[in-house]
């Protein structure tokens, strides 16, 4: 990471401060050994994991007041893993995943920066059916629906790691694919709802997306 230009910021959640080391901007790129390229990550998409997106801030604010007691939680496509870092600060049982080869390194760095215990991290692809993640009570994610072909993969990955009774919370900024994901989740037996987040004055701009919730009851 030494060849990358970085920045540091603190995001506040009432009395909790989460400190983040991120990429300076979306122009950063460093893949000298072609590790990301071998995973199908282009130079244009390489920096996406390493900046803080509005959807991730919305998710973190929403999950900060959510009942996570006794729940085993999975954050998928974690990127800078803001929600995972916050949940870890709250002593929740959190595991993070991302496809990007640098995500785990940034997560480790930021966990240390926040002086917290290590967060379980698995680098995995949504098409991977052989990971050892296990099953979860609550699955969360933000800004995941970039391509149409991702929808079925995402729904299947969620279902693969959902316990019989499971809640799913996805924050989508409005890329036009949320209804397709909802259809896929309903076909797998989940109930669905969606709503606009309230009080997003912590963002610089108006948030035009939705919080998507899916639930399966045992």
């Amino acid at each position: 990471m030494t060849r990358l230009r970085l920045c540091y910021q603190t995001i506040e959640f009432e009395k909790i401060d989460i400190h983040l080391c991120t990429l300076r901007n979306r122009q950063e790129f460093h893949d000298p050994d072609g590790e990301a390229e071998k995973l199908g990550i282009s130079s244009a998409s390489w920096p996406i994991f390493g900046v803080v997106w509005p959807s991730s801030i919305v998710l973190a604010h929403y999950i900060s007041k959510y009942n996570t007691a006794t729940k085993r939680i999975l954050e998928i496509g974690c990127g800078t893993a803001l929600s995972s870092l916050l949940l870890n600060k709250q002593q929740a049982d959190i595991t993070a995943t991302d496809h990007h080869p640098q995500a785990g390194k940034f997560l480790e760095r930021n966990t240390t920066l926040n002086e917290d215990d290590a967060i379980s991290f698995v680098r995995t692809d949504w098409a991977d059916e052989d990971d050892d993640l296990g099953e979860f009570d609550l699955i969360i994610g933000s800004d995941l629906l970039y391509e149409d072909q991702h929808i079925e993969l995402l729904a299947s990955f969620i279902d693969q790691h959902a316990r019989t009774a499971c809640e799913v919370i996805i924050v989508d900024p409005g890329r036009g694919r949320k209804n397709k994901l909802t259809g896929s989740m309903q076909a797998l037996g989940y109930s669905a709802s969606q709503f606009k987040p309230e009080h997003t004055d912590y963002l610089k701009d108006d948030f035009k997306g939705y919080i998507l919730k899916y639930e399966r009851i045992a």
Side-chain angles (χ1 to χ4, degrees), residues 148-200:
D148 285 338
Q149 60 265 31
H150 291 170
I151 295 169
E152 291 298 329
L153 283 174
L154 175 58
S156 178
F157 185 83
I158 290 172
D159 192 53
Q160 177 184 344
H161 296 295
R163 286 180 173 163
T164 304
C166 182
E167 298 172 274
V168 181
I169 300 171
I170 306 292
V171 177
D172 183 71
R175 298 186 185 277
R177 297 180 179 88
K178 63 181 177 61
N179 291 339
K180 293 180 180 179
L181 176 62
T182 292
S184 295
M185 293 299 292
Q186 288 175 323
L188 291 168
Y190 296 80
S191 62
S193 61
Q194 62 181 41
F195 55 92
K196 289 276 189 179
E198 298 180 353
H199 311 303
T200 57

Side-chain angles (χ1 to χ4, degrees), residues 14 87 108 111:
E14 295 185 347
L87 288 167
E108 182 178 354
T111 304

Side-chain angles (χ1 to χ4, degrees), residues 66-67 69-74 134-140 158-169 185 188-191 214-218:
Y66 207 76
N67 179 16
T70 74
K71 291 183 172 68
R72 186 171 188 238
I73 309 164
L74 175 67
E135 297 179 342
F136 296 82
D137 305 290
L138 175 62
I139 298 175
I140 63 174
I158 290 172
D159 192 53
Q160 177 184 344
H161 296 295
R163 286 180 173 163
T164 304
C166 182
E167 298 172 274
V168 181
I169 300 171
M185 293 299 292
L188 291 168
Y190 296 80
S191 62
Y214 308 106
E215 186 173 9
R216 186 172 63 193
I217 300 173

